[in-house]
Amino acid sequence: MKAAPTRCLHVLLIDDDPADRLLALEAFGEHAESVDISVSEDGVEALAWLRHPGRALPDVVILDLNMPRMTGFEVIAAIRADPALRHLPVVILSTSDSPEDVAQAYNLFASSYMVKSKDFPGFLAQVDHFVKFWQDCRFNRPDAG
């Protein structure tokens, strides 16, 4: 049996839709003891948050594609172009299952692409898998710090 993580997984959620943010916060609330979630309402706000001096970067970013001011594609391109941020894992979470969107996300070096489940129990399962995967990646490797 694997040991529990020694620290919280820090996730930055970037999504412009208030209802989607609320559902995500509710789903991640099931993992409140092991996940710390920060929220940005759009890409401009998220990039300012990520570039704030002295702020610890998240372990993983969850990014919506369809947003005003900056699309998710523009946000991930900006993250990948910034030497201080380009290493961050970025997971796309979108309602779009368009092969073109998926291909473009991976061309911009998305770490993963998840299509949002259409029902809440399915979304809870997605979040459970997401949390387990990223906790394992960040905390249960021999070189994890």
Side-chain angles (χ1 to χ4, degrees), residues 25-75:
L25 289 172
E26 187 174 333
F28 277 100
E30 299 287 319
H31 301 276
E33 293 179 6
S34 60
V35 177
D36 176 35
I37 189 156
S38 299
V39 178
S40 289
E41 295 183 9
D42 64 39
V44 174
E45 180 183 299
L47 290 170
W49 188 95
L50 287 166
R51 292 175 174 147
H52 187 274
R55 177 174 284 141
L57 293 174
D59 294 303
V60 61
V61 174
I62 299 176
L63 177 61
D64 185 27
L65 289 182
N66 300 312
M67 298 185 297
R69 300 209 301 168
M70 286 184 87
T71 68
F73 295 125
E74 293 168 327
V75 174

Side-chain angles (χ1 to χ4, degrees), residues 16-137:
D16 67 305
D17 186 291
D20 286 347
R21 286 194 310 268
L22 185 62
L23 287 175
L25 289 172
E26 187 174 333
F28 277 100
E30 299 287 319
H31 301 276
E33 293 179 6
S34 60
V35 177
D36 176 35
I37 189 156
S38 299
V39 178
S40 289
E41 295 183 9
D42 64 39
V44 174
E45 180 183 299
L47 290 170
W49 188 95
L50 287 166
R51 292 175 174 147
H52 187 274
R55 177 174 284 141
L57 293 174
D59 294 303
V60 61
V61 174
I62 299 176
L63 177 61
D64 185 27
L65 289 182
N66 300 312
M67 298 185 297
R69 300 209 301 168
M70 286 184 87
T71 68
F73 295 125
E74 293 168 327
V75 174
I76 193 171
I79 288 171
R80 295 298 178 240
D82 187 324
L85 304 176
R86 70 174 46 141
H87 70 282
L88 288 173
V90 177
V91 174
I92 303 299
L93 179 61
S94 178
T95 56
S96 172
D97 61 359
S98 157
E100 293 82 13
D101 286 347
V102 174
Q104 186 173 357
Y106 283 121
N107 285 338
L108 292 166
F109 302 103
S111 302
S112 178
Y113 192 106
M114 296 188 331
V115 177
K116 289 179 190 173
S117 177
K118 294 185 187 331
D119 61 61
F120 192 65
F123 184 62
L124 283 174
Q126 283 181 303
V127 169
D128 287 344
H129 292 298
F130 173 90
V131 169
K132 288 175 183 150
F133 177 84
W134 286 103
Q135 283 177 331
D136 192 45
C137 285

